[in-house]
Amino acid sequence: MNGRTVMPDGSVSTLCRQCDMHCGIKIQVENGRLTKISGDKGHPIGRGKICPKGTAALEMIYHRDRILNPLKRKSNGRFEPIPYDQAIAEIARKLSNIKAETGARSIGAWTGEAIGFLQQEEYARRFIHALGSPNYFSAESVCYAARHIAYHLVQGYYPACEDYANSQVILIWGANLEITHPPFMREVLQGKKKGAKLVVIDPRKTKTERHADLVVRIIPGTDGALVWGLINHLIQNGKIDTEFVRQHTVGFDDFRAYAEKFDLTCVSRETGVPVDIISQLAELIARNVPRISQYVGISFEHQVNGVNVIRAIVSLGNICGSSDIPGGSPWPEYPAVRSLTLYDHLPLDDFKPIGADRFPLLYQFRKQCSSLMAMDYMLGKGDYPLRGCIISGANPVLTNPNAAKVKQALSSLDLLVVKDLFATATARLAHYIIPAASFLERSELHYYPNKNLAALTRKVIEFEGIRNEYDFWKDLADALGFGARYFPWPDETAVNQWIVEGSGLDLQALEKHTGGIAYAPVRRRKFAYTPFPTPSGKIELTTDVTAFRGLPPIPEYLPPAHRPGRESAAVFLLATGARSPFYYHSRYRNIARFQKRKPNPVVEINTLDAERLKLSHGEKVRIVSKTGELVISAKILKADAVLPGILQIGHGWDQGNVNLLTDDADVDPISGYPNLKHVVVSVEKV
Ligand SMILES: Nc1nc2c(c(=O)[nH]1)N[C@H]1C(S)=C(S)[C@@H](COP(=O)(O)OP(=O)(O)OC[C@H]3O[C@@H](n4cnc5c(=O)[nH]c(N)nc54)[C@H](O)[C@@H]3O)O[C@H]1N2
Ligand SMILES: Nc1nc2c(c(=O)[nH]1)N[C@H]1C(S)=C(S)[C@@H](COP(=O)(O)OP(=O)(O)OC[C@H]3O[C@@H](n4cnc5c(=O)[nH]c(N)nc54)[C@H](O)[C@@H]3O)O[C@H]1N2
Ligand code: SF4
Ligand SMILES: [Mo]
């Protein structure tokens, strides 16, 4: 391995970017090698703790399977190394041809979670936009944007992390923070130490549940009924913050009238949650208003009425008066840094961004094109052809729904370029694979908006010939003739300098203080002197924005189309993608010590269901959905670990891709997000 450290020997402080939490870490440099990684005790995020994924960073960068040379696929399907400059020249020529033949919008750029949501993705957006195409795709077609839309519809902002540490009741809706967001979980436990009660609402037992004071084992897809039941109970018992509601909300009369349908008995019938548990929960909230904080998990984005359920949950917090108060849901502030995107300079909205017609809010709020619809455009079923795509830091063959279609669509492209550290399932379909630089090979700005801190990840190592994200997009722009105009900065440090210029942030200071520098004092109750950033300036308990879908102003509850146990005994509801502590989507499957712990994908099934199917632990089952089928080993769970009739399979496995079963057409009408949590399947023993 030809890595060369760019720091002197000793201990270097920086941020972990093995996931989006950005915990502080320390890396030991010895004789030009990175030898050890550990948590940075002095950093406010992580406080010296590091999770299994974080510990794998060095194994990942020095991995023997890492791609160190650009590769080109030959007509016989094999890949062979080619010089980087030649690869860039060939890719640029092919992009020019596509642009000349069918227009720039026939080309898309796509980034994944590994790239993050700030400047790394902005390079891709800037490039594709400068080329003349509006088609930027990302993992945000299946993650985060739907929740962003929901929060924005109600209150105009997303509270990056609620104030769990000072809360009195913490509600975790369909999420497993202990595994998925360890630093948030630590704040939850801090809150618990000070007396907060923790409620976990999930059809399945999770690690997070171990800390719960109240567990709500709910029928999947019925959370909307529970939220409305709680809203009704609080209103009926006069437990809401009437003054806040009067001054700062719109739509309350209709909101209250709709809630009246949800008395606790009917909610219990709908959700399968015993009345006494619902009453305990309602009373717990009522006693502790307004210091209520909540976390809404990915399970809501991955269901067909997800945006509206999240809107109802956010509204619950708001009528309790927990917006932007200590112990509630903070309204975050961001530094006044510059954006690298070109939306204000080069409007391309008239070029029909893919998905902007069907899912206008995804485009309006996040400037995201629909990656699900991109597949149709690649297959010639769109308004115009999508013929070229550059993917960086994503693995859609394993992470997008309807994997067989994704594979077919990507294989049909005239040009597919994938920039990755490894020859992933997606990279293997590419015409060119470009080696990627990991987070330890670049420097980027990061913000912790719940603490008003800005921080910088530091470049600690470089590998000969591997270009980082900025350099790659700049090289391509140079080859296409628009580099000087749109990518004028010589390197990443110059970009960072440009981003912070005029914001009051100082790059050298950030470099020194990896624990972050405050960009503004933390202020709460901003609504007392600033209107909420919604059209009315108030919390919108009702909105006309969803009328484009023929939806009413209230975020109504929609009973799920299928319920476990209601149909034939062979029909199950499959939840996909519950996170494992070792893996991050498709990542880290090649880390040997993780493989030993969790070598294969499994389907989790309740022992009562297993008995009915005469199934033993480890036996193979065939799972069939409307979209496809999968043969997979069974892992039998205790009767109380999951509701009967519900299955769970993790995503990201090459040798058992659960997205062969998920459907790209079964979507939330507001966000366009796929149903990945409640897939109807049948099961048989093989
Ligand atoms: N280790 C690790 N950490 C990660 C990731 C990873 O891959 N690995 N991925 C990161 C990313 S990008 C994301 S989006 C987050 C996701 O983070 P979380 O939102 O915490 O995701 P999950 O762990 O899948 O937890 C979802 C839970 O929802 C439950 N659930 C399913 N359907 C329903 C329902 O109808 N109602 C309710 N109430 N619950 C339901 C499931 O049983 C499951 O326990 O994790 C992030 N962190
Ligand atoms: N069935 C089902 N599918 C799901 C989900 C689910 O719950 N169920 N969850 C969805 C969610 S929430 C998300 S966020 C998506 C995530 O979807 P993706 O973003 O496609 O997921 P990853 O597997 O994390 O892909 C990251 C890729 O980037 C590479 N990589 C790592 N570091 C770098 C880097 O520094 N630079 C570059 N260029 N590449 C790098 C990795 O090797 C990996 O191949 O998956 C979604 N898919
Ligand atoms: S939670 Fe783990 S992977 Fe994520 S930043 Fe922290 S140490 Fe790294
Ligand atoms: Mo995600």
Side-chain angles (χ1 to χ4, degrees):
M1 225 7 119
N2 54 356
R4 196 179 67 84
T5 51
V6 297
M7 298 276 182
D9 278 11
S11 173
V12 180
S13 299
T14 184
L15 312 176
C16 176
R17 208 332 181 158
Q18 293 283 81
C19 91
D20 198 34
M21 292 283 97
H22 289 84
C23 299
I25 49 170
K26 284 197 182 277
I27 295 193
Q28 200 61 32
V29 183
E30 280 173 50
N31 301 322
R33 249 188 106 80
L34 309 183
T35 54
K36 197 174 158 228
I37 184 166
S38 55
D40 179 351
K41 287 200 182 83
H43 197 283
I45 311 297
R47 299 199 179 280
K49 297 276 191 329
I50 184 168
C51 82
K53 306 176 311 282
T55 64
L58 304 187
E59 287 146 285
M60 182 186 79
I61 66 158
Y62 288 126
H63 201 284
R64 64 182 152 81
D65 293 341
R66 188 156 171 202
I67 294 174
L68 297 168
N69 251 305
L71 299 169
K72 178 178 180 178
R73 186 152 50 87
K74 301 307 252 177
S75 48
N76 64 7
R78 300 179 93 99
F79 282 95
E80 71 175 32
I82 65 164
Y84 178 79
D85 291 344
Q86 188 189 334
I88 291 292
E90 288 185 18
I91 294 166
R93 200 164 51 242
K94 288 178 185 179
L95 291 174
S96 293
N97 289 345
I98 295 176
K99 181 172 173 175
E101 287 161 13
T102 48
R105 65 185 181 175
S106 288
I107 301 162
W110 182 321
T111 66
E113 209 286 337
I115 286 301
F117 309 106
L118 296 170
Q119 75 195 70
Q120 305 294 328
E121 83 159 44
E122 289 187 352
Y123 301 146
R125 287 181 184 265
R126 189 173 177 92
F127 172 86
I128 205 68
H129 225 117
L131 183 69
S133 169
N135 289 321
Y136 169 74
F137 310 99
S138 83
E140 277 201 31
S141 288
V142 288
C143 180
Y144 177 65
R147 121 181 34 183
H148 180 98
I149 292 170
Y151 276 86
H152 273 248
L153 288 178
V154 180
Q155 57 188 34
Y157 60 85
Y158 177 67
C161 171
E162 307 218 346
D163 191 10
Y164 309 118
N166 297 301
S167 189
Q168 285 172 333
V169 178
I170 304 163
L171 303 178
I172 300 187
W173 295 90
N176 190 5
L177 294 192
E178 167 127 0
I179 300 297
T180 59
H181 300 76
F184 290 180
M185 191 65 204
R186 267 172 239 132
E187 302 215 358
V188 168
L189 295 178
Q190 232 176 305
K192 274 207 67 169
K193 245 191 207 155
K194 294 194 217 158
K197 298 289 180 216
L198 173 64
V199 183
V200 172
I201 303 138
D202 201 305
R204 205 176 127 260
K205 195 172 196 157
T206 62
K207 286 266 194 280
T208 304
E209 192 176 300
R210 291 185 304 184
H211 308 283
D213 298 286
L214 186 65
V215 173
V216 181
R217 193 72 76 230
I218 193 164
I219 292 177
T222 66
D223 301 76
L226 177 60
V227 189
W228 280 110
L230 296 173
I231 291 171
N232 186 38
H233 182 91
L234 293 169
I235 296 176
Q236 296 303 327
N237 291 284
K239 294 295 183 185
I240 61 171
D241 185 337
T242 331
E243 196 44 34
F244 180 86
V245 168
R246 196 182 57 76
Q247 274 195 43
H248 298 291
T249 69
V250 292
F252 183 69
D253 290 342
D254 292 342
F255 185 80
R256 180 186 48 203
Y258 181 73
E260 277 168 14
K261 295 183 188 164
F262 295 85
D263 69 72
L264 296 192
T265 324
C266 105
V267 171
S268 170
R269 221 179 304 122
E270 186 64 17
T271 58
V273 182
V275 175
D276 70 303
I277 300 273
I278 305 179
S279 305
Q280 275 183 55
L281 174 55
E283 276 309 305
L284 190 61
I285 299 174
R287 274 200 309 277
N288 291 290
V289 164
R291 277 165 64 188
I292 314 292
S293 60
Q294 312 193 73
Y295 186 86
V296 177
I298 192 68
S299 48
F300 294 94
E301 298 189 61
H302 293 168
Q303 53 181 280
V304 291
N305 193 36
V307 170
N308 273 345
V309 180
I310 302 174
R311 278 175 64 204
I313 294 175
V314 181
S315 303
L316 167 70
N318 273 294
I319 60 166
C320 290
S322 56
S323 333
D324 211 25
I325 59 157
S329 171
W331 175 356
E333 292 180 276
Y334 290 87
V337 290
R338 287 167 162 170
S339 163
L340 288 158
T341 63
L342 297 172
Y343 294 100
D344 294 339
H345 313 280
L346 271 181
L348 291 175
D349 294 5
D350 293 345
F351 287 72
K352 287 197 160 211
I354 292 173
D357 50 352
R358 270 186 72 200
F359 305 111
L361 299 187
L362 188 61
Y363 191 73
Q364 191 183 315
F365 283 110
R366 301 294 302 169
K367 289 284 187 234
Q368 287 284 332
C369 296
S370 162
S371 75
L372 275 61
M373 286 179 67
M375 302 305 158
D376 294 316
Y377 279 65
M378 289 177 194
L379 291 167
K381 293 180 199 143
D383 293 340
Y384 55 87
L386 185 61
R387 298 172 50 205
C389 192
I390 307 174
I391 298 180
S392 185
N395 192 359
V397 169
L398 298 185
T399 56
N400 259 50
N402 197 347
K405 179 172 168 186
V406 173
K407 231 172 149 169
Q408 195 195 355
L410 293 176
S411 307
S412 73
L413 288 170
D414 293 326
L415 176 67
L416 176 62
V417 178
V418 173
K419 187 163 163 58
D420 205 297
L421 300 158
F422 300 104
T424 62
T426 302
R428 295 197 298 274
L429 303 178
H431 298 98
Y432 298 88
I433 307 180
I434 305 293
S438 74
F439 75 96
L440 292 169
E441 295 152 65
R442 58 180 190 245
S443 168
E444 65 197 26
L445 288 141
H446 179 73
Y447 315 107
Y448 303 99
N450 55 325
K451 301 203 181 317
N452 286 15
L453 288 176
L456 188 72
T457 57
R458 297 161 81 193
K459 174 174 168 177
V460 285
I461 189 168
E462 61 188 17
F463 287 81
E464 200 185 315
I466 296 190
R467 304 285 279 165
N468 64 27
E469 293 298 307
Y470 175 70
D471 292 339
F472 166 71
W473 294 108
K474 175 180 167 57
D475 293 341
L476 264 187
D478 284 341
L480 284 157
F482 57 81
R485 173 136 193 230
Y486 291 111
F487 290 80
W489 307 280
D491 56 28
E492 210 172 45
T493 309
V495 178
N496 289 342
Q497 191 57 56
W498 181 85
I499 291 174
V500 299
E501 224 166 82
S503 70
L505 287 170
D506 176 64
L507 217 51
Q508 275 82 38
L510 288 169
E511 171 95 7
K512 268 201 216 116
H513 301 281
T514 39
I517 292 181
Y519 48 79
V522 175
R523 300 176 298 170
R524 293 284 166 254
R525 298 184 199 275
K526 293 182 279 296
F527 53 82
Y529 50 86
T530 315
F532 282 103
T534 56
S536 62
K538 299 195 173 200
I539 298 294
E540 306 209 331
L541 300 173
T542 58
T543 179
D544 293 332
V545 175
T546 55
F548 76 95
R549 276 287 176 210
L551 293 168
I554 295 270
E556 288 190 350
Y557 170 64
L558 203 70
H562 300 273
R563 282 160 182 273
R566 288 270 170 98
E567 283 141 86
S568 115
V571 175
F572 287 79
L573 274 189
L574 168 69
T576 73
R579 279 36 172 172
S580 131
F582 311 115
Y583 300 130
Y584 203 80
H585 310 296
S586 68
R587 281 181 258 167
Y588 318 132
R589 294 289 187 307
N590 51 6
I591 305 294
R593 61 194 166 94
F594 295 168
Q595 275 170 358
K596 269 193 207 133
R597 302 283 298 267
K598 210 172 189 327
N600 287 307
V602 290
V603 56
E604 294 172 4
I605 182 166
N606 184 308
T607 183
L608 303 172
D609 292 320
E611 273 168 30
R612 270 197 296 116
L613 293 168
K614 303 198 175 12
L615 195 65
S616 318
H617 197 74
E619 279 187 312
K620 295 265 185 206
V621 289
R622 175 177 290 109
I623 304 194
V624 183
S625 75
K626 185 170 149 251
T627 316
E629 61 175 72
L630 185 68
V631 174
I632 188 167
S633 308
K635 176 179 174 183
I636 296 173
L637 303 185
K638 287 189 184 145
D640 67 347
V642 63
L643 289 179
I646 296 169
L647 307 175
Q648 199 294 127
I649 304 179
H651 69 302
W653 293 93
D654 213 349
Q655 69 270 45
N657 183 358
V658 74
N659 279 318
L660 289 166
L661 300 171
T662 55
D663 183 357
D664 60 326
D666 188 20
V667 298
D668 181 320
I670 301 177
S671 63
Y673 270 39
N675 164 20
L676 301 177
K677 294 291 181 270
H678 311 142
V679 184
V680 177
V681 293
S682 63
V683 179
E684 60 179 30
K685 196 166 139 171
V686 292

